Amino acid sequence: MAHPSVPVVPALKDELDIVIPTIRNLDFLEQWRPFFQPYHLIIVQDGDPTKTIRVPDGFDYELYNRNDVNRILGPKASCISFKDSACRCFGFLISKKKYIFTIDDDCFVAKDPSGKDINALAQHINNLLTPSTPFFFNTLYDPYRDGADFVRGYPFSMREGAPTAISHGLWLNIPDYDAPTQLVKPRERNTRYVDAVMTIPKGTLFPMCGMNLGFNRELIGPAMYFGLMGDGQPIGRYDDMWAGWCAKVICDHLGLGVKTGLPYIWHSKASNPFVNLKKEYKGIYWQEDIIPFFQSVSLPRECTTVQKCYVELSKLVAEKLGHVDPYFQKLSDAMVTWIEAWDELNTPSQAASETKTSPVNTK
Amino acid sequence: MAHPSVPVVPALKDELDIVIPTIRNLDFLEQWRPFFQPYHLIIVQDGDPTKTIRVPDGFDYELYNRNDVNRILGPKASCISFKDSACRCFGFLISKKKYIFTIDDDCFVAKDPSGKDINALAQHINNLLTPSTPFFFNTLYDPYRDGADFVRGYPFSMREGAPTAISHGLWLNIPDYDAPTQLVKPRERNTRYVDAVMTIPKGTLFPMCGMNLGFNRELIGPAMYFGLMGDGQPIGRYDDMWAGWCAKVICDHLGLGVKTGLPYIWHSKASNPFVNLKKEYKGIYWQEDIIPFFQSVSLPRECTTVQKCYVELSKLVAEKLGHVDPYFQKLSDAMVTWIEAWDELNTPSQAASETKTSPVNTK
C-alpha cells in the first residue's frame, strides 16, 4: 500500500530503477519511504555474501550479492568490483528500465530553505526529462525551468537543446571532499543551498559523484561503468570519477547533455579520511595524467553508439595511460568485458533468458 | 564627507572606476550613494551633448559628452558609438585605473534573501580578486568562497586557478531577454536568487550583459570594445554581446578566467520590446553565423597580449564574417581604430599628455 503522501501515479514509476550499493543503515529506507516506495529497488551488496541485508516491509526490491554476480556473469564477473561501492554498476547492467537513480546509504532527505523535504528523485526526473544546453552557456542557468528562459544573445538555433543523459545532484552537510581536504578542513559543512540546475558545457570535464546521481540508461548506460576498485585493486574512491570522465567525453561526442546542481540530499557522515587517503593516494597523482588524457580524447566519427565509443575509449586508455601503471591495461580489459556483459544482458533476446538473470532474493 | 555606512577604506578605492553610460534617472546615484560615493565615476553621455546631466552633490566624477569624445580622439572617435549605451567603452579607454565596474542607470540596489541590501561592487571586487577555475568544473561552484572548496576528483595541479579578468553579475526583477522573448513573456520576472559564483569554462561562450559588469582593465581592457551600435549603424543591443564574445575568446587564449553569478542588481524596467526588436533583428540572424565563428576561432601563439589578440581577431572578422554583411568590414576597421586609440591613451607616455584628455566637466 502506498504511503499517503505519495501521488497515485509517480513519475516514471515503470521506467525507473533505484540502484543502491549495500544498505548498512536501517533508517535509510525508512526516511526515503515516501519517495522511494513506489519504485523498484536494485540493491547490490558489496561485501561478504553470507551477511544478510534487511529491507523493511513494503519495498519492491531485488538484491544481488557477490555469488549472484558470479553466477549471472560467469567469467565476466571479473569486471565488477568487490568490497567497494563501485559494484553498484552491476545494478545498472541488470536493470531493464530506461532511467536509473543511484544513491548511497548514508544520504538522507535534505530540506530546502523553506524547511520542506526535498524529493530528490522528482528533481532528477525533471532534470532528465528536460533538455540540456551544452553548446552555449545560459547565464540564468536552466532555461527550461519555470520563471527562467534563454537570455538575450543566446542563439535561437541552439534553444532546442540536447537530450539529457545525466543528472548530477549535490550534497548538503558533508561535502564530497578528497582525503587531503577532509584532513585539512575536518569541520567544513556545506550549508549553501544553490537554487540552480545547469548544464556542464561541451568540452568541459567535471568530477561526477555517485552519491546522488540519475541517468538515462538508454542514452548513456554502457558508459556508466564504475571501474575496478576496492578488493585487490590499487585504488578506490575513483569509481564514480572514472565513470564521469568516460561518460562526459562520450556525451560530448554524441551530442548529449549533462546537468549538475539540484537536487540536494543530506550527506550524513564523512568517511574516514585516513582510510580514504590510503584508497585515493595513487588516484591523486594518476589523475594528473588521466585528466589531460580525457581532455584531449577525440573519438572517431564511426563511433555512433555508446558501446562503440566505450570500446574505442578502452583502447585509448591502454595506449595512452598504460605507461602510468599496469593497472590501466587491466582497466582497459575490464572496460571491454563490461561492454560484452552489457550487450549480453541487454540484447533484444535478453527477455528469453531472463530466468538466468533472476536474483536470489526477490520479493 | 563619507556616508556613515561606508567603510573608511573601501576596497580598491584608488584602483577602480565606475563607468556609467548616461544617467537619466536622478534616483539612480542616490540609491547607490552608500556604495559608490567613495569611488570615482566616469559618465559617458550617449546622446545630445547640449543636454545637461545632473549629478548629485558629493560624488567625485568626470563626464564626457560627444564633443569631448570627438575632441580627445579626433578622427579615431569614429570607433565610439553615438546615441547608444555602447559609448560606455570610451570610459574604459579614458580610465587610468586597474579595475572597472560598469552599470546601467536603470539598475538599482537589490536585496538578498535575508532582506539586506546587496553591495554589488564589493561582490565584483571579491570575484575579481580571487582566481577563476576555467580548466575543470567544480560542482560546488566557486571553490575559493567561504564554506566551499574543490571537490573530490578535482586535479590538484589545477587548484591554483587562473587570474580573473571578468566578473559578470546578474539581475533580479526584469531579466535580460531579447525582444522576441520580451514579447512572448511580458510578465516574466526573475525572482530566483541563485547564491553562486562560477567560472565559465574554457572553450565555452556566454552572452555577456553590460548592465552589471566588472573587469580587470589591465588584464582584458583592450578587448572590452562595445562595437558600432546605435546612430547610423544597422544593429543595436549587441554591443555587450560583441565585447563578451571577443573577450571570452581572448581570455581562453591567454589563460584568464571569466566568472558569472553574484552579485545581483535590481533591474527596474524593461526597455520597449518593439524598439528592441527593430534594433536586434539583424543581430538575431547574424549571430547564427557569429557564434560558430567565435566557437571555431583559434588565435596564433604569437598573440601574447590582448592588443595583439584583438587585432588578429579584427582580421578574422573581416575575413570570415565579411560575407554576412558589409557591416563586418566596417566593424573590423573600427576594432583596429579602437586598439590604436587604446594604445595612444594607455602608453607609458600617457601621463605627459593627460591635460589633453581632461574632460569638460570635472568636479
Side-chain angles (χ1 to χ4, degrees):
Chain A
M1 208 177 78
H3 188 280
S5 70
V6 174
V8 179
V9 186
L12 304 183
K13 183 189 169 325
D14 300 319
E15 294 184 81
L16 184 141
D17 280 338
I18 299 174
V19 173
I20 307 161
T22 305
I23 298 175
R24 294 155 297 189
N25 189 326
L26 281 176
D27 287 346
F28 171 72
L29 280 178
E30 284 307 338
Q31 251 213 41
W32 285 106
R33 187 185 288 273
F35 305 115
F36 287 2
Q37 193 168 280
Y39 294 89
H40 182 69
L41 313 182
I42 298 179
I43 303 163
V44 187
Q45 190 175 348
D46 71 346
D48 182 354
T50 63
K51 289 202 176 149
T52 309
I53 288 182
R54 265 196 51 207
V55 177
D57 284 347
F59 285 97
D60 168 40
Y61 74 100
E62 44 193 306
L63 189 152
Y64 297 91
N65 64 27
R66 188 70 206 183
N67 296 336
D68 302 319
V69 173
N70 289 342
R71 182 178 47 80
I72 293 166
L73 294 184
K76 296 194 184 78
S78 62
C79 73
I80 304 296
S81 299
F82 184 44
K83 291 191 185 168
D84 194 285
S85 74
C87 70
R88 81 174 81 208
C89 65
F90 178 76
F92 310 159
L93 189 70
I94 208 82
S95 167
K96 299 286 170 281
K97 304 283 176 63
K98 184 170 179 184
Y99 299 97
I100 297 285
F101 172 53
T102 183
I103 183 169
D104 281 3
D105 71 346
D106 60 349
C107 294
F108 294 91
V109 179
K111 288 185 188 297
D112 71 17
S114 76
K116 213 178 134 214
D117 280 355
I118 297 168
N119 184 345
L121 188 45
Q123 180 70 50
H124 278 295
I125 289 169
N126 189 59
N127 293 349
L128 291 168
L129 293 183
T130 52
S132 293
T133 55
F135 311 118
F136 201 81
F137 190 91
N138 194 51
T139 51
L140 285 185
Y141 310 99
D142 183 355
Y144 304 107
R145 214 175 155 191
D146 271 357
D149 212 311
F150 293 97
V151 299
R152 179 172 57 93
Y154 202 103
F156 281 84
S157 63
M158 292 179 183
R159 295 190 186 195
E160 214 177 308
T164 302
I166 297 174
S167 167
H168 178 260
L170 299 175
W171 342 275
L172 289 172
N173 194 37
I174 306 291
D176 185 32
Y177 287 164
D178 45 65
T181 309
Q182 281 186 295
L183 289 164
V184 171
K185 291 181 153 183
R187 300 183 59 145
E188 191 149 294
R189 298 292 179 267
N190 187 25
T191 58
R192 187 175 290 127
Y193 182 95
V194 174
D195 187 12
V197 176
M198 48 174 305
T199 297
I200 299 171
K202 184 178 174 177
T204 301
L205 292 177
F206 78 116
M208 188 179 82
C209 170
M211 266 196 272
N212 169 25
L213 184 69
F215 63 92
N216 182 322
R217 199 175 156 276
E218 282 180 10
L219 288 180
I220 199 64
M224 296 302 255
Y225 173 50
F226 274 46
L228 295 174
M229 304 282 147
D231 201 48
Q233 306 300 341
I235 54 168
R237 281 169 62 83
Y238 275 86
D239 51 342
D240 41 6
M241 297 299 142
W242 185 260
W245 298 325
C246 294
K248 185 59 168 60
V249 157
I250 293 174
C251 283
D252 286 350
H253 176 75
L254 296 176
L256 303 172
V258 176
K259 290 182 185 172
T260 183
L262 303 182
Y264 286 94
I265 51 78
W266 179 264
H267 187 205
S268 61
K269 64 175 211 303
S271 43
N272 185 317
F274 299 96
V275 174
N276 290 347
L277 187 62
K278 198 173 165 189
K279 289 180 181 174
E280 283 173 16
Y281 86 101
K282 280 177 195 268
I284 284 174
Y285 63 89
W286 286 352
Q287 78 184 354
E288 299 295 337
D289 286 301
I290 297 172
I291 299 299
F293 161 71
F294 279 107
Q295 284 181 330
S296 66
V297 152
S298 167
L299 295 168
R301 195 180 283 262
E302 309 85 79
C303 293
T304 50
T305 66
V306 178
Q307 279 94 327
K308 284 182 189 166
C309 290
Y310 204 75
V311 169
E312 182 65 27
L313 204 51
S314 76
K315 289 182 205 156
L316 293 169
V317 165
E319 184 187 320
K320 307 273 188 185
L321 294 175
H323 74 277
V324 174
D325 194 275
Y327 169 76
F328 290 95
Q329 180 59 58
K330 211 165 60 166
L331 180 56
S332 166
D333 295 341
M335 290 168 76
V336 176
T337 306
W338 161 262
I339 292 295
E340 289 168 356
W342 186 279
D343 285 342
E344 195 179 304
L345 294 186
N346 291 280
T347 48
S349 64
Q350 77 191 21
S353 63
E354 252 179 35
T355 49
K356 188 182 116 190
T357 65
S358 54
V360 168
N361 307 296
T362 295
K363 190 170 165 298
Chain B
M1 209 175 74
H3 188 279
S5 71
V6 175
V8 179
V9 186
L12 305 184
K13 183 188 169 326
D14 301 318
E15 294 184 81
L16 183 142
D17 280 338
I18 299 175
V19 173
I20 307 162
T22 306
I23 299 175
R24 296 155 297 188
N25 189 325
L26 282 175
D27 288 346
F28 170 73
L29 281 177
E30 286 306 340
Q31 250 214 40
W32 285 106
R33 187 184 288 273
F35 306 114
F36 288 1
Q37 192 167 282
Y39 294 89
H40 182 68
L41 311 183
I42 299 179
I43 303 162
V44 187
Q45 190 174 347
D46 70 347
D48 182 357
T50 63
K51 289 203 175 147
T52 310
I53 287 182
R54 266 195 52 206
V55 177
D57 284 349
F59 284 97
D60 168 38
Y61 75 100
E62 43 192 307
L63 188 152
Y64 298 91
N65 64 28
R66 188 69 207 184
N67 295 336
D68 302 319
V69 173
N70 290 341
R71 181 178 48 77
I72 293 165
L73 293 184
K76 294 194 187 78
S78 62
C79 74
I80 303 297
S81 299
F82 184 43
K83 292 190 182 165
D84 193 284
S85 74
C87 70
R88 82 175 80 209
C89 65
F90 179 76
F92 310 158
L93 190 70
I94 208 84
S95 167
K96 299 286 171 281
K97 305 285 176 60
K98 185 171 178 184
Y99 299 97
I100 297 286
F101 171 53
T102 184
I103 182 169
D104 281 2
D105 71 347
D106 60 350
C107 295
F108 294 91
V109 179
K111 288 187 188 299
D112 70 18
S114 75
K116 214 178 136 213
D117 280 355
I118 297 168
N119 184 345
L121 188 45
Q123 179 69 50
H124 278 296
I125 289 169
N126 189 59
N127 293 349
L128 290 167
L129 294 182
T130 51
S132 293
T133 53
F135 311 118
F136 202 81
F137 191 92
N138 194 49
T139 51
L140 284 185
Y141 311 100
D142 184 355
Y144 304 106
R145 215 175 155 191
D146 271 357
D149 212 310
F150 293 96
V151 298
R152 179 171 58 92
Y154 201 103
F156 281 84
S157 62
M158 292 181 182
R159 297 191 184 195
E160 215 177 306
T164 302
I166 297 175
S167 166
H168 179 260
L170 299 176
W171 342 275
L172 289 172
N173 195 36
I174 307 288
D176 186 30
Y177 286 164
D178 46 65
T181 309
Q182 281 187 294
L183 289 165
V184 171
K185 292 182 155 183
R187 300 183 61 146
E188 190 149 294
R189 299 291 178 268
N190 186 24
T191 58
R192 186 175 290 128
Y193 183 94
V194 175
D195 187 12
V197 176
M198 48 172 305
T199 297
I200 299 171
K202 183 176 176 181
T204 300
L205 292 176
F206 78 114
M208 187 179 83
C209 169
M211 266 197 270
N212 169 24
L213 184 69
F215 62 93
N216 182 321
R217 199 175 155 276
E218 283 181 9
L219 288 180
I220 198 65
M224 295 302 255
Y225 173 49
F226 273 46
L228 296 174
M229 305 282 149
D231 201 47
Q233 306 300 341
I235 53 167
R237 283 171 59 84
Y238 274 86
D239 51 343
D240 42 5
M241 296 299 139
W242 185 260
W245 297 325
C246 294
K248 184 60 168 60
V249 158
I250 293 174
C251 282
D252 286 349
H253 176 74
L254 296 175
L256 303 171
V258 176
K259 290 181 185 174
T260 185
L262 302 183
Y264 285 95
I265 51 79
W266 179 263
H267 186 206
S268 62
K269 63 175 211 304
S271 43
N272 184 316
F274 299 96
V275 174
N276 289 347
L277 187 62
K278 199 174 163 188
K279 290 180 180 172
E280 283 174 15
Y281 85 102
K282 280 178 196 268
I284 284 173
Y285 62 86
W286 286 351
Q287 78 184 355
E288 299 296 336
D289 287 302
I290 297 171
I291 299 300
F293 162 72
F294 279 106
Q295 284 181 330
S296 66
V297 151
S298 166
L299 295 168
R301 193 179 284 262
E302 310 85 79
C303 292
T304 50
T305 67
V306 179
Q307 280 94 325
K308 283 182 190 167
C309 289
Y310 204 75
V311 169
E312 183 64 27
L313 204 50
S314 75
K315 289 181 204 157
L316 293 170
V317 165
E319 185 186 319
K320 307 273 189 186
L321 293 175
H323 74 277
V324 174
D325 193 275
Y327 169 76
F328 290 95
Q329 180 59 57
K330 213 164 60 168
L331 180 56
S332 167
D333 295 342
M335 290 168 75
V336 175
T337 306
W338 160 263
I339 292 296
E340 289 168 358
W342 186 279
D343 284 343
E344 195 179 302
L345 294 185
N346 291 280
T347 49
S349 64
Q350 76 191 22
S353 63
E354 255 181 32
T355 49
K356 191 182 113 189
T357 64
S358 55
V360 169
N361 309 294
T362 294
K363 186 168 167 298

